[in-house]
Amino acid sequence: MQYHAKVGQEGRGWNAVFVDAPGCATCASSREKVLAAAREALQGWLEAHLVDGRAPPRPATTLRGTVLVDV
């Protein structure tokens, strides 16, 4: 499954915010590191939903200006 993340540079750091996963975001010192951290953050976010018995929202099919992150 793939979720869309808005990835951008802010100051000296990079951040990733998931459009279809409210509250799921991460930051790192480089684009490569933030993409790796984004995958880990998304996995934790999805796992927390499943543990709580909630179905996570389905990801959007296409969103402009985003990066796809595989789970």
Side-chain angles (χ1 to χ4, degrees):
M1 193 177 312
Q2 297 177 322
Y3 278 77
H4 295 271
K6 288 187 178 184
V7 176
Q9 190 172 13
E10 192 170 318
R12 292 184 176 177
W14 286 79
N15 59 34
V17 177
F18 285 92
V19 179
D20 296 319
C24 185
T26 191
C27 60
S29 60
S30 70
R31 188 174 196 278
E32 294 78 23
K33 289 180 181 178
V34 82
L35 291 174
R39 184 168 190 245
E40 186 176 329
L42 181 58
Q43 287 173 338
W45 186 87
L46 291 168
E47 184 179 327
H49 270 69
L50 295 173
V51 167
D52 287 345
R54 298 180 290 160
R58 298 195 72 53
T61 54
T62 59
L63 290 173
R64 298 180 102 192
T66 61
V67 174
L68 284 173
V69 177
D70 287 314
V71 185

